[in-house]
């Protein structure tokens, strides 16, 4: 694979792309610490989309692994994990960040956020997402503590690691290179960076 084959997810921004059934999306954590919010929509009906709550009910896990298939809100297969070199730590619990989240964290004024990135990325390819589903947060580290509490921790992923996801239907994939720079989810003291993906037949 050459650099020209890579599609950039710009730092703090989103990117959407059409993917055919049977193709594989390779999502690369280029610099190692970047969380990538990920959505998938049925290309023929954007009201059907990858659903974290429906997926958890089928895979019986809060962190998907190789071999697991994510489901839509109509409980149909949409994406299957076929390879993961990242250490296998991802998140299906936390909602996409939005302007309200950053206000809650004490930020004044506008802050780039994953919700707006999703809708901007879809708009860039001539589509409108009907809502903001809860994302599959690739490379995000949200451990469940013994007392059942959650915490926001730095990723365990490393530069150049990747996840391969097989499309189980014609779909629209959408990504956001999460712009979180208040909590350490993109690495302690690290700022958001670009990431990349490629579509493989």
């Amino acid at each position: 694979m050459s650099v020209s084959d890579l599609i950039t997810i710009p730092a703090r921004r989103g990117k959407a792309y059409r993917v055919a059934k049977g193709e594989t999306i390779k999502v690369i954590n280029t610099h190692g610490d970047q969380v990538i919010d990920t959505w998938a929509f049925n290309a023929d009906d954007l009201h059907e989309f990858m659903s974290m709550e429906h997926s958890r009910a089928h895979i019986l896990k809060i962190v998907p692994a190789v071999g697991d298939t994510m489901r839509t809100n109509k409980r149909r297969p949409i994406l299957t994990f076929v390879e993961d070199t990242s250490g296998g730590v991802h998140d299906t619990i936390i909602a996409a960040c939005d302007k309200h989240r950053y206000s809650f964290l004490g930020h004044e004024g506008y802050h780039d956020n994953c919700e707006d990135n999703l809708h901007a990325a879809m708009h860039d390819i001539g589509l409108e997402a009907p809502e903001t589903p809860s994302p599959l947060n690739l490379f995000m580290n949200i451990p469940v503590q013994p007392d059942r509490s959650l915490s926001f921790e730095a990723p365990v992923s490393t530069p150049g690691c990747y996840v391969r996801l097989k499309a189980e239907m014609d779909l629209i994939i959408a990504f956001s290179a999460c712009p979180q720079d208040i909590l350490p989810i993109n690495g302690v003291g690290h700022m958001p960076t670009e990431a990349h993906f490629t579509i493989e037949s």
Side-chain angles (χ1 to χ4, degrees), residues 116-159:
D116 288 351
N117 287 348
L118 164 65
H119 291 277
M122 295 289 280
H123 184 266
D124 286 346
I125 60 170
L127 298 173
E128 182 176 347
E131 61 180 279
T132 305
S134 187
L136 168 61
N137 294 308
L138 292 175
F139 314 114
M140 189 174 185
N141 184 12
I142 307 292
V144 180
Q145 307 297 341
D147 65 358
R148 301 183 185 179
S149 64
L150 303 175
S151 60
F152 290 81
E153 305 295 341
V156 304
S157 46
T158 55

Side-chain angles (χ1 to χ4, degrees), residues 3 6 43 72-73 85 93 97 108 112 120 131 166 178 190:
V3 173
L6 296 177
T72 71
N73 55 325
T85 70
I93 299 173
C97 61
E108 295 183 4
D112 296 323
E131 61 180 279
K166 180 183 177 183
C178 183
H190 294 186

Side-chain angles (χ1 to χ4, degrees), residues 7-8 25 31 36 81 96-97 111 130 142 148 165 175 189-190:
I7 302 165
T8 299
I25 308 110
H31 300 282
I36 304 172
F81 278 73
C97 61
H111 192 290
I142 307 292
R148 301 183 185 179
L165 304 168
F175 300 112
H190 294 186

Side-chain angles (χ1 to χ4, degrees), residues 25-67:
I25 308 110
K26 181 180 180 181
V27 189
I28 305 164
N29 201 326
T30 310
H31 300 282
D33 287 332
Q34 181 62 48
V35 167
I36 304 172
D37 287 40
T38 303
W39 297 268
F41 296 83
N42 179 346
D44 297 319
D45 176 10
L46 298 181
H47 289 89
E48 182 177 12
F49 47 78
M50 181 171 61
S51 165
M52 295 305 99
E53 53 268 42
H54 293 85
S55 296
R56 290 192 298 264
H58 280 268
I59 66 176
L60 299 178
K61 301 173 186 174
I62 60 171
V63 180
V66 171

